[in-house]
């Protein structure tokens, strides 16, 4: 199996990209995690941030998967209306 955070060469390439394009130093061993897609990334993030029964604010027109991942962790989505008038 490969490293669950992504191969070292891929994480190092991401580190180089961020430095070369944005002048941002990142540590590929501590701050870069490669996931199989955005939903897997959100699942990891939400698992780290939220507890069951937490109320989580979402824009009413947010990415549909946010709701599903929050429900998977027994969180309660709270929708905030948004308008195009901003």
């Amino acid at each position: 199996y490969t490293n669950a955070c992504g191969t070292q060469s891929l994480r190092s390439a991401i580190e180089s990209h961020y430095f070369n394009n944005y002048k941002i130093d990142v540590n590929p061993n501590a701050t870069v995690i490669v996931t199989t897609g955005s939903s897997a990334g959100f699942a990891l993030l939400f698992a780290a941030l939220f507890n069951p029964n937490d109320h989580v604010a979402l824009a009413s027109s947010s990415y549909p998967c946010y709701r599903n991942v929050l429900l998977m962790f027994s969180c309660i989505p709270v929708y905030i209306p948004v308008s195009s008038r901003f």
Side-chain angles (χ1 to χ4, degrees), residues 21-64:
N21 291 287
Y22 310 112
K23 304 300 182 232
I24 296 173
D25 261 331
V26 295
N27 179 341
N29 298 314
T31 58
V32 176
I33 298 175
V34 179
T35 67
T36 57
S38 61
S39 295
F42 289 125
L44 290 171
L45 178 66
F46 291 175
L49 293 177
F50 304 124
N51 295 305
N53 298 315
D54 278 355
H55 288 71
V56 180
L58 294 175
S60 60
S61 61
S62 63
Y63 178 54

Side-chain angles (χ1 to χ4, degrees), residues 5-85:
C5 294
T7 63
Q8 183 64 45
S9 60
L10 177 56
R11 288 184 286 133
S12 293
I14 292 168
E15 171 198 26
S16 296
H17 173 81
Y18 270 83
F19 184 77
N20 293 336
N21 291 287
Y22 310 112
K23 304 300 182 232
I24 296 173
D25 261 331
V26 295
N27 179 341
N29 298 314
T31 58
V32 176
I33 298 175
V34 179
T35 67
T36 57
S38 61
S39 295
F42 289 125
L44 290 171
L45 178 66
F46 291 175
L49 293 177
F50 304 124
N51 295 305
N53 298 315
D54 278 355
H55 288 71
V56 180
L58 294 175
S60 60
S61 61
S62 63
Y63 178 54
C65 201
Y66 291 158
R67 176 187 174 277
N68 297 334
V69 175
L70 289 170
L71 293 175
M72 181 174 69
F73 292 113
S74 299
C75 294
I76 302 163
V78 177
Y79 295 98
I80 308 299
V82 294
S83 169
S84 62
R85 292 182 287 179

